[in-house]
Amino acid sequence: MEDREIIDLYFRRDQAAVRETDVKYGALCRRVAMNILALAADAEECVNDTYLRVWNTIPPERPERLGMWLCRVARNLAFDRWRRDHRQKRRGGVEPVLEELAECVPGPSDPQRELEGRELTELLDRWLAELPSEDRRLFLRRYWRGDSVRDIARDLGRTPNSITKQLSRLRGALREHLEREGYTV
Amino acid sequence: MNGSENSAARLFEGLGGVREEFLLDLDEKSPRHRVTRRFAVALLAAALALALLAFGAAAVHGGDLGDWYADAWRFLTGREMGEGQRALVQSLSQEIGLSQTVNGVTVTVDSAAAGDDALAVLLRVRGVRARGRRDYAFDGSSLDVTGGASGMTAFGVRYVGTDEEGAMLFLVDHSGGAPLFDDGRGSVQVSLTLRNLESRKYGSHKDKTEAEGVWSFTFTLTGSEAFRTLEVGDVEAAIDDVADGKFTFSARDLTLTSTGLRYTFARDQENPSPDQFTAILSDGAEICCSESMGIWDGERFTCSAHWQIPVDLDDVVSLKIGETVIPIG
């Protein structure tokens, strides 16, 4: 079913909207949630929460790209949940991704220069826009979607080692970019 | 969370809001890899292992690569290999028999099969007990093939189950966009390096190190006289693809080989996924391609797709591309 038709179902408050959303985008949302939460049961709950959020948001919202919009909602909800659970115990999921991202964070600087969320995103947008598309896709698969190095390597027909090296180089480049801009996160 | 984790978490959140246009093509390959596609269902090793695991048992295979192909053939077609098919697989298979033991784990390069632009190697791993509902993989691996034609290549190492004595079996598959041998003659030198054996529970994202070490092998594979090619020429086919929708596919200079097929197509054309190419044999058995790759030469893409198992071309009666059936011979 086309996105437009699914969104029309939401506007008509027809519960088939959720079923059609799950048929078309359920696997993608589960993958994003699973990459962050690592536990299937948690990921499933997160996907259900995503559908509830969508049900409560459309209408009045009418997202231009439903799949991408769902992915963002699932990612945000999964990360909120991971942070909540993380206070109780350490576990997998997004943890290795965060450990890698910690390498990009420049050392302490003027606290006044700490970035607000939107400002940080704009800085990241500028850095990503300058990257060759292959590098940008690789970086976002790992750090936006949380895909494992092994899965990325498998999809690209490359070795995990070469992917790890390329990601390490990109993290170094991001760190330099953040330092150059004079910011700390 | 400590300070560094907090900062990383803020970075992760900041990434969450990046421009939508960056996220639209995350699964796209680079132009160099644009037409490289692996068809997950047809990743034979995984399909075989998973099908058997679904019934609560680990996939068990005996003998050498020829026996493994026979198991795979039965699984895919529901019938035994015919005489010609058996002869082809035997002819392509070569015994290697090289072993190396590191930290109590012995990796043996058991046998290999070399075709036109693809090769497969069967590995046995002893010294680590395989457990059910786990996938095994090497953390790092490299494969270099020298002596044959150069070009774009891809390879993978996949756990495919155990043999009757409990040794783990891995299948290394290598495929390229150019022939390995000149008219099936000559030889190529293969260097294979494997690093650190890991396992992962199904459904988990956490790897467990089973054995640390580096296992390296170098061996020679020779071309086979049984290998042949069959020129089909220019073709046009109607494709109805789940992901790409309906389109007409036009290819030039399509050639069948025992290990796959090659063709060229224009840049503005859609390229079918590899599973859209199926060899139909005289007994009705069907073998499709499991992966394809291609390279842009400035004018056209030259694409190469590979059968799930090498196919006896004498037994192929037609080639099905999408919805279109093209008689052969």
Side-chain angles (χ1 to χ4, degrees):
Chain A
M1 187 180 273
E2 296 292 324
D3 284 1
R4 179 179 40 76
E5 296 171 289
I6 297 175
I7 291 170
D8 286 345
L9 289 174
Y10 279 106
F11 268 79
R12 290 203 298 271
R13 308 315 287 159
D14 184 337
Q15 292 186 4
V18 176
R19 190 179 63 240
E20 294 299 336
T21 302
D22 190 54
V23 167
K24 191 165 182 183
Y25 294 114
L28 186 61
C29 290
R30 277 182 194 88
R31 173 180 175 176
V32 169
M34 188 71 190
N35 283 345
I36 293 172
L37 293 165
L39 290 176
D42 288 357
E44 195 59 44
E45 270 188 45
C46 172
V47 171
N48 288 335
D49 290 346
T50 303
Y51 295 157
L52 181 64
R53 178 72 61 92
V54 173
W55 180 259
N56 290 333
T57 314
I58 308 174
E61 289 279 331
R62 187 179 272 276
E64 201 175 325
R65 293 188 182 94
L66 181 62
M68 190 57 58
W69 193 74
L70 281 161
C71 249
R72 279 190 199 273
V73 174
R75 185 184 190 271
N76 291 341
L77 290 176
F79 193 53
D80 285 348
R81 187 188 181 103
W82 182 88
R83 269 155 75 117
R84 196 182 65 220
D85 293 354
H86 186 83
R87 293 197 190 97
Q88 296 157 15
K89 56 184 177 183
R90 294 174 70 87
R91 61 185 199 208
V94 77
E95 194 158 328
V97 170
L98 294 183
E99 280 169 10
E100 289 170 31
L101 277 178
E103 292 175 25
C104 306
V105 181
S109 64
D110 180 357
Q112 298 303 313
R113 297 296 293 154
E114 276 205 355
L115 292 178
E116 293 300 321
R118 189 59 243 166
E119 201 182 354
L120 174 60
T121 297
E122 282 167 9
L123 192 65
L124 290 167
D125 268 340
R126 286 201 295 278
W127 180 70
L128 287 166
E130 285 169 10
L131 288 182
S133 55
E134 192 182 351
D135 283 349
R136 184 168 59 236
R137 282 195 290 268
L138 179 66
F139 187 86
L140 290 173
R141 277 197 66 174
R142 178 69 179 143
Y143 302 115
W144 192 89
R145 203 160 68 183
D147 287 350
S148 72
V149 169
R150 183 185 289 180
D151 288 347
I152 297 170
R154 201 167 281 175
D155 289 348
L156 297 179
R158 292 172 51 188
T159 63
N161 264 357
S162 74
I163 297 291
T164 302
K165 280 180 192 161
Q166 195 174 344
L167 285 171
S168 170
R169 183 175 56 75
L170 287 168
R171 287 196 304 273
L174 175 57
R175 185 189 169 96
E176 277 176 24
H177 178 76
L178 292 172
E179 278 173 344
R180 211 170 34 243
E181 296 285 335
Y183 289 119
T184 178
V185 291
Chain B
M1 281 195 229
N2 61 34
S4 151
E5 284 173 323
N6 260 327
S7 300
R10 288 188 61 202
L11 203 48
F12 187 78
E13 282 180 318
L15 278 167
V18 296
R19 272 188 236 161
E20 199 165 283
E21 68 194 66
F22 295 153
L23 306 169
L24 293 176
D25 59 353
L26 285 192
D27 294 307
E28 276 277 312
K29 310 295 186 285
S30 64
R32 190 164 59 91
H33 294 85
R34 185 171 172 270
V35 292
T36 301
R37 305 175 75 167
R38 284 184 179 246
F39 175 50
V41 176
L43 288 177
L44 185 55
L48 270 172
L50 287 174
L52 291 166
L53 283 165
F55 293 97
V60 177
H61 310 283
D64 60 9
L65 192 57
D67 294 325
W68 193 86
Y69 276 140
D71 285 348
W73 190 271
R74 208 174 298 118
F75 174 80
L76 287 170
T77 67
R79 51 198 95 189
E80 298 295 324
M81 277 184 174
E83 256 180 53
Q85 183 63 37
R86 225 179 357 253
L88 172 78
V89 167
Q90 286 303 327
S91 163
L92 297 178
S93 300
Q94 297 167 45
E95 197 179 318
I96 308 296
L98 290 174
S99 288
Q100 196 179 12
T101 303
V102 178
N103 292 331
V105 174
T106 302
V107 177
T108 301
V109 179
D110 180 277
S111 41
D116 173 55
D117 53 7
L119 61 86
V121 181
L122 185 70
L123 305 175
R124 263 173 230 283
V125 177
R126 295 184 179 87
V128 176
R129 191 172 64 85
R131 285 159 290 165
R133 307 203 66 76
R134 288 190 91 86
D135 185 26
Y136 291 85
F138 288 94
D139 173 40
S141 52
S142 66
L143 182 91
D144 290 316
V145 181
T146 54
S150 61
M152 182 183 161
T153 59
F155 87 102
V157 184
R158 295 183 186 87
Y159 175 61
V160 294
T162 59
D163 67 11
E164 286 148 351
E165 293 169 356
M168 289 183 197
L169 298 177
F170 287 83
L171 191 72
V172 181
D173 69 285
H174 164 99
S175 48
L180 289 168
F181 304 101
D182 185 14
D183 269 347
R185 285 188 288 272
S187 61
V188 291
Q189 191 89 351
V190 180
S191 298
L192 172 67
T193 301
L194 306 159
R195 188 175 301 104
N196 298 343
L197 181 63
E198 294 182 338
S199 72
R200 182 190 287 192
K201 244 183 189 172
Y202 287 145
S204 163
H205 277 219
K206 202 157 191 175
D207 293 324
K208 175 179 180 239
T209 302
E210 298 282 350
E212 289 193 336
V214 176
W215 296 264
S216 298
F217 304 92
T218 300
F219 50 93
T220 301
L221 292 178
T222 52
S224 165
E225 285 179 8
F227 183 82
R228 53 178 292 235
T229 61
L230 195 68
E231 284 177 20
V232 179
D234 299 347
V235 297
E236 199 155 273
I239 309 293
D240 187 357
D241 188 277
V242 176
D244 299 332
K246 291 185 181 183
F247 62 92
T248 300
F249 167 62
S250 299
R252 283 207 330 232
D253 305 325
L254 191 141
T255 300
L256 299 186
T257 74
S258 305
T259 49
L261 49 88
R262 285 194 292 271
Y263 55 89
T264 72
F265 69 101
R267 182 167 200 140
D268 56 358
Q269 293 265 312
E270 291 278 358
N271 186 33
S273 59
D275 56 302
Q276 297 276 0
F277 295 95
T278 306
I280 301 175
L281 309 182
S282 60
D283 63 356
E286 295 186 0
I287 296 290
C288 71
C289 287
S290 62
E291 63 173 330
S292 67
M293 56 171 50
I295 194 153
W296 173 246
D297 67 3
E299 283 186 24
R300 296 177 69 78
F301 277 106
T302 298
C303 199
S304 167
H306 302 96
W307 307 122
Q308 294 162 302
I309 301 180
V311 169
D312 172 23
L313 291 189
D314 287 334
D315 201 27
V316 177
V317 292
S318 52
L319 170 69
K320 192 172 164 209
I321 308 177
E323 312 291 303
T324 304
V325 177
I326 300 161
I328 302 292

